[in-house]
Amino acid sequence: MGLHNFPPYSVMTDNDVCGGEAVDLTRKILETADIKVVTVCATAARLYKMLGTGEIDLTINIKQTKALPANVSFIEPPYTQLSLVLLSNVIPNGALNSVEKPTIAAIRGFDYSGQRQRLSAQGYQFVDMPDSIDAIEMFIKGRSNALLTYEAPFNFFMTQRYLPIAAIYNRQLLDSINTYFAVSELSLHKTYIQQALSAYAAAEQLRYFTPPPDSSSAKLVPDTVP
């Protein structure tokens, strides 16, 4: 199972492996006495290549990512739903576009369901980082004017590391996007993985493998146009 650092669902450990909520659930569903789930934690761009060659069997991702290989099957129902937000520092007139050539921290290899292209066309410059935490840290440390992020890892990061800091950020909800278990067509275990995940979802009558989180955050000013 290939994952990138995207807490709380996947969290990188010291040995380039990932743990986290998604790993725990996947092991619960797929592992047997003879089958073990081994995780690989890498950048998103590397994971897409590994998925395309069958070097990894599965990952979790949205369907809209252009860098995903064509030989991938998505499992219904969705794993969870993610809130895609644009965060910016609170500035006097509340408008990010008042900053000359504003920069936006983001994850390298993510097109964010077309939002990267839309924001680039508006004159924003992207500062690409390897994973969600690196992008968040870039923004928190003031090295970018804004952050394009899925809200769950941002809230997790703020809770774990920055809760005592009374920082307030403008928040614009751009989209709500389902993310799915994605299985490589080259995986030798493709049939087992697909059948096991589908059977579990049916038996539990799931709409999502993991219910979408509450999008609210004490650190954000909701529905502010940056």
Side-chain angles (χ1 to χ4, degrees), residues 96-103 145:
L96 178 60
N97 56 18
S98 68
V99 179
E100 185 178 358
K101 295 182 179 179
T103 54
N145 302 116

Side-chain angles (χ1 to χ4, degrees), residues 98-188:
S98 68
V99 179
E100 185 178 358
K101 295 182 179 179
T103 54
I104 300 178
I107 301 173
R108 183 177 299 112
F110 275 30
D111 53 54
Y112 298 95
S113 193
Q115 293 295 335
R116 177 186 289 271
Q117 293 83 354
R118 183 182 71 83
L119 292 166
S120 294
Q122 294 177 21
Y124 302 140
Q125 298 183 359
F126 277 81
V127 181
D128 286 326
M129 304 301 292
D131 60 40
S132 63
I133 299 305
D134 288 332
I136 291 168
E137 287 185 326
M138 171 72 69
F139 173 64
I140 293 294
K141 293 176 180 178
R143 296 173 183 169
S144 69
N145 302 116
L147 171 69
L148 183 59
T149 185
Y150 292 105
E151 198 158 33
F154 179 81
N155 286 349
F156 180 89
F157 182 89
M158 293 295 283
T159 300
Q160 293 294 311
R161 304 191 192 184
Y162 282 92
L163 189 59
I165 298 178
I168 303 296
Y169 303 104
N170 290 325
R171 170 189 183 271
Q172 183 184 20
L173 177 64
L174 300 179
D175 207 349
S176 296
I177 308 173
N178 287 336
T179 185
Y180 297 82
F181 283 106
V183 185
S184 172
E185 293 290 344
L186 297 181
S187 169
L188 298 177

Side-chain angles (χ1 to χ4, degrees), residues 7-96:
Y9 306 117
S10 53
V11 182
M12 186 171 66
T13 65
D14 294 335
N15 300 314
D16 292 331
V17 299
C18 267
E21 296 177 6
V23 175
D24 294 341
L25 178 61
T26 304
R27 284 183 168 141
K28 175 183 176 181
I29 298 171
L30 296 183
E31 285 195 340
T32 67
D34 300 316
I35 296 174
K36 302 300 177 186
V37 174
V38 178
T39 62
V40 176
C41 210
T43 64
R46 179 172 171 236
L47 288 177
Y48 299 148
K49 292 179 181 179
M50 296 170 72
L51 196 65
T53 60
E55 188 176 348
I56 58 174
D57 299 287
L58 77 160
T59 189
I60 296 174
N61 210 87
I62 67 172
K63 292 182 178 181
Q64 296 92 329
T65 301
K66 292 182 179 179
L68 272 174
N71 58 339
V72 170
S73 297
F74 295 96
I75 307 298
E76 295 285 352
Y79 171 73
T80 193
Q81 186 177 81
L82 302 174
S83 295
L84 178 62
V85 296
L86 181 64
L87 306 180
S88 61
N89 292 305
V90 175
I91 53 181
N93 65 1
L96 178 60

